[in-house]
Structures are given as structure tokens and as C-alpha cells.
């Protein structure tokens, strides 16, 4: 429970209306009622404000809603996220080390850590303060996990990997599986040992079923603040720059280096051994097959600048007609050339 005034201070907003009204939960604009807070981030929902029964509404500057209690801020969506975090509170009970968890005697467990039933913690593992490992998490030997991490059920972290502070691993994420490295040997393939590690820096989130492969040598590194969606694949020796985001079913092939604040839309990716600059965006199902410059949006396979791709896409549907016209022109040209030659012979 919090007043609008308290929530406004939390997110740097201004109150229009009653600052002492109390808020206990957040709901969508069409479901919110007394005691609820909702938010308006998309202008298309403006017509719903009149019928909204919420005790408070988070809005951007310039929204006019007579008789409503408003929290006015520059980024309603961000304010919603911060307030939801506070009102939601802690979701998972602090239980310490459960009796049905298997923790090696050499493991170093920080203050306030919760390790749920079915977890297996290997030798020389370090787990920082207040981290939570939910049921059936497996942590191999010599792993280091920072403070305030949340590792969901069924995750696996392999040997020697490093996980920073406030990292979230969604259910079934695998950190440090072998990179896909095989040397051709005639008609067969010889497995290349993958002896490197994975490093997840602070505030990284890895989605459900996502895999980050360990390096052949050295490290695969996901830098601070990166967010990976479900079913994302990061291959060995990749470096993903700070605060980059990757939507579901995206993938990066081995040894590619990506700058900060990159955006990969759904089912997009990059080939191996490339360099992608800062602030690169690859549209859905796009694929980088060569190095990409910073501060540009790319689309298509192979990826090209987005504006160029739009112009090209307008032509796609016309290609069959253009081919027929070109064939007809080639035929007429051949006939004209034949006529010219016959005329020259007569002359």
C-alpha cells in the first residue's frame, strides 16, 4: 500500500488530484477499480480514460482527464515498471539452504541466500548475498554467482562460469554449454574441446530455454544490462555489448563482436566472426552476413540498410511482370539486330 504522493516521489512524477489516495495494486486500464493504479503509454487508449475507475493513472505530459487522479511523468511505461516492482514486493520466500538441496561442503554461500529443493551445487562454488536458486538448479564446480541473483527452476550453469550481480536466469536457461566446434576429419568430425567460460555481467537477464555457449578458449561475454528473450542462442566467443536486447529465436554465431545498445528483433541474427557497431538494429528475420556500421537500422537477409530494403521490397511483387517485359524487350532487340545486319548486307 502506498499513496500517490509516495509513488510520485519514487518515479519523479507530479500529482494532479488527491496525493493522499492509497494504491494497493496495478491493473490494466479496462480492469482497474478503486485502490488500483493503471497507466497510459499508448495514445490509442485515451478514449478509455473517461470510463476508467482507477484510483490513479500514470500519464505523460499534456493529458487532460478532469476528475481523475494523475501521476504525470515523462515516461509512463518506465514509471509503471518501477511502481509495479515496489508494490509487488518479494515473490520468493527466503528459506536458506533447503534440506533437499545438495550443496558441496566447499561451496561458499553468502548471507540470506535461498537454495530450494532439488538444487545441486558443486565444489568451490561461490554464491553472493541474497541470491535465490529455485528448484532443480544445477551449478557445476568453480562457478561464481554474484549478489541478488534470481535463478529460476531447471537452470544449469556449467563449470567455472561467472555470473554478476542482479542477474536473472529464466527457467531452463543453460549457461556454459559446449560451443559448437568440430574439426573436419575426412568424412567425420573431431570434437574441439571447449575449455573457455561464459561471463554474464551485472543486471543481465537470460530468457527461458536460452543458451549461452562457453568459449573454445577465453570467454563468451554478455555485458552489463543485456536482456535476452526466450530461445535465444549465443555461440562460443561472442561478445555482446552493454544494454543490448535480443528478441525470441534470435542467434549469434561464433566469435562475433557486437557493440553496445544493439537490438535484435525476433528470429534475427548474425553470422560468425563479424563486427557490429553500436546502436545497430536488425529487423525481424534479418541476418547480418557482413560487418555493420553503427547507428543504423538493417533489414532482410543478407541485411541491408532499412530504407534500401523498403525500396527493394516494393519491387519484389513486380518482379514477374518485369521479367516478362525484359524477355519481350530482349526478343525485340534480337529481331532489330537481325534486321540491321540484313540491311547492312544489302547495302
Amino acid at each position: 500500500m502506498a499513496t500517490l504522493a509516495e509513488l510520485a516521489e519514487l518515479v519523479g512524477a507530479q500529482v494532479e488530484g488527491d496525493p493522499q489516495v492509497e494504491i494497493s495494486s496495478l491493473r490494466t486500464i479496462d480492469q482497474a477499480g478503486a485502490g488500483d493504479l493503471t497507466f497510459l503509454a499508448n495514445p490509442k487508449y485515451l478514449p478509455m480514460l473517461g470510463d476508467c475507475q482507477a484510483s490513479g493513472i500514470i500519464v505523460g505530459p499534456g493529458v487532460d482527464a478532469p476528475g481523475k487522479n494523475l501521476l504525470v511523468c515523462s515516461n509512463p511505461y518506465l514509471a509503471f515498471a518501477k511502481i509495479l516492482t515496489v508494490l509487488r514486493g518479494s515473490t520468493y520466500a527466503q528459506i536458506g539452504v533447503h534440506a533437499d538441496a545438495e550443496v558441496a561442503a566447499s561451496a561458499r554461500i553468502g548471507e540470506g541466500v535461498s537454495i530450494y529443493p532439488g538444487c545441486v551445487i558443486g565444489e568451490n562454488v561461490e554464491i553472493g548475498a541474497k541470491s535465490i536458486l529455485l528448484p532443480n538448479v544445477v551449478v557445476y564446480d568453480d562457478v561464481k554467482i554474484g549478489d541478488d541473483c534470481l535463478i529460476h527452476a531447471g537452470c544449469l550453469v556449467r563449470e567455472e562460469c561467472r555470473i554478476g550481480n542482479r542477474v536473472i536466469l529464466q527457467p531452463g536457461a543453460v549457461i556454459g554449454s559446449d560451443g559448437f566446434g568440430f574439426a573436419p576429419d575426412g568424412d567425420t568430425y573431431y570434437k574441439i574441446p571447449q575449455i573457455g567460460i561464459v561471463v554474464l555481467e551485472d543486471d543481465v537477464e537470460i530468457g527461458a530455454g536460452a543458451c549461452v555457449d562457453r568459449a573454445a578458449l577465453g570467454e563468451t561475454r554478455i555485458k552489463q544490462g543485456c536482456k535476452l528473450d526466450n530461445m535465444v542462442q549465443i555461440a562460443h566467443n561472442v561478445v555482446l555489448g552493454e544494454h543490448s536486447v535480443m528478441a525470441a529465436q534470435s542467434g549469434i554465431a561464433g566469435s562475433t563482436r557486437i557493440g553496445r545498445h544493439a537490438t535484435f528483433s525476433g528470429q534475427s541474427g548474425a553470422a560468425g566472426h563479424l563486427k557490429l557497431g553500436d546502436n545497430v538494429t536488425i529487423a525481424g528475420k534479418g541476418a547480418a552476413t557482413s560487418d555493420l556500421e553503427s547507428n543504423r537500422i538493417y533489414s532482410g537477409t543478407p541485411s541491408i540498410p532499412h530504407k534500401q530494403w523498403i525500396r527493394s521490397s516494393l519491387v519484389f511483387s513486380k518482379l514477374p511482370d518485369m521479367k516478362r517485359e525484359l524477355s519481350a524487350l530482349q526478343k525485340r532487340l534480337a529481331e532489330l539486330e537481325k534486321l540491321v545486319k540484313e540491311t547492312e548486307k544489302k547495302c
Side-chain angles (χ1 to χ4, degrees), residues 191-204:
K191 182 176 177 63
I192 300 171
Q194 307 290 293
I195 63 172
I197 64 171
V198 170
V199 178
L200 305 183
E201 295 186 0
D202 294 348
D203 302 301
V204 165

Side-chain angles (χ1 to χ4, degrees), residues 31-112:
Q31 296 180 339
D36 295 332
L37 182 69
T38 190
F39 72 103
L40 179 70
N42 192 324
K44 75 177 185 178
Y45 296 113
L46 273 169
M48 302 179 69
L49 278 183
D51 296 328
C52 181
Q53 300 301 309
S55 293
I57 307 169
I58 308 170
V59 299
V63 174
D64 185 25
K68 305 294 184 184
N69 299 314
L70 305 180
L71 279 183
V72 183
C73 57
S74 59
N75 190 337
Y77 196 50
L78 178 60
F80 156 77
K82 290 182 176 181
I83 292 172
L84 181 59
T85 300
V86 170
L87 292 183
R88 183 189 187 203
S90 178
T91 304
Y92 305 103
Q94 293 186 341
I95 65 168
V97 179
H98 196 277
D100 290 334
E102 183 177 331
V103 180
S106 60
R108 293 177 289 282
I109 310 300
E111 183 178 354

Side-chain angles (χ1 to χ4, degrees), residues 100-101 115-121 133-139 151-157 172-173:
D100 290 334
I115 301 178
Y116 276 66
C119 290
V120 178
I121 310 300
L133 281 65
L134 292 167
N136 301 320
V137 169
V138 177
V139 181
I151 302 181
H152 283 277
C155 288
L156 185 148
V157 183

Side-chain angles (χ1 to χ4, degrees), residues 322-338:
M322 293 172 65
K323 183 178 184 302
R324 284 193 293 269
E325 291 174 5
L326 179 60
S327 297
L329 287 172
Q330 288 175 327
K331 183 178 179 181
R332 290 183 62 187
L333 179 59
E335 292 172 349
L336 287 172
E337 288 177 342
K338 181 179 179 182

Side-chain angles (χ1 to χ4, degrees), residues 141-156:
D141 295 347
D142 302 306
V143 168
K144 291 184 179 180
I145 297 172
D147 299 340
D148 296 300
C149 292
L150 176 58
I151 302 181
H152 283 277
C155 288
L156 185 148

Side-chain angles (χ1 to χ4, degrees), residues 16-17 21 38 90 101 154 196 215 223 240 274 293 306 314 325 339-340:
E16 293 184 6
V21 68
T38 190
S90 178
K223 292 191 175 182
L240 184 61
L274 302 181
E293 297 178 8
H306 184 65
L314 294 174
E325 291 174 5
L339 181 59
V340 168

Side-chain angles (χ1 to χ4, degrees), residues 97-241:
V97 179
H98 196 277
D100 290 334
E102 183 177 331
V103 180
S106 60
R108 293 177 289 282
I109 310 300
E111 183 178 354
V113 168
S114 295
I115 301 178
Y116 276 66
C119 290
V120 178
I121 310 300
E123 299 289 346
N124 301 311
V125 168
E126 295 181 17
I127 302 177
K130 299 181 181 179
S131 287
I132 298 173
L133 281 65
L134 292 167
N136 301 320
V137 169
V138 177
V139 181
Y140 284 30
D141 295 347
D142 302 306
V143 168
K144 291 184 179 180
I145 297 172
D147 299 340
D148 296 300
C149 292
L150 176 58
I151 302 181
H152 283 277
C155 288
L156 185 148
V157 183
R158 278 191 49 183
E159 65 273 15
E160 300 181 357
C161 291
R162 303 289 182 261
I163 294 177
N165 301 317
R166 300 174 301 279
V167 169
I168 298 174
L169 304 183
Q170 295 293 346
V174 178
I175 308 301
S177 52
D178 279 0
F180 192 69
F182 299 89
D185 183 12
D187 292 333
T188 64
Y189 292 90
Y190 185 87
K191 182 176 177 63
I192 300 171
Q194 307 290 293
I195 63 172
I197 64 171
V198 170
V199 178
L200 305 183
E201 295 186 0
D202 294 348
D203 302 301
V204 165
E205 180 162 351
I206 306 295
C211 297
V212 183
D213 289 351
R214 67 196 308 108
L217 300 171
E219 63 184 35
T220 302
R221 180 172 288 266
I222 310 298
K223 292 191 175 182
Q224 182 177 3
C226 289
K227 314 297 184 187
L228 275 57
D229 197 359
N230 302 338
M231 306 300 291
V232 167
Q233 162 66 21
I234 303 294
H236 57 88
N237 294 94
V238 165
V239 176
L240 184 61

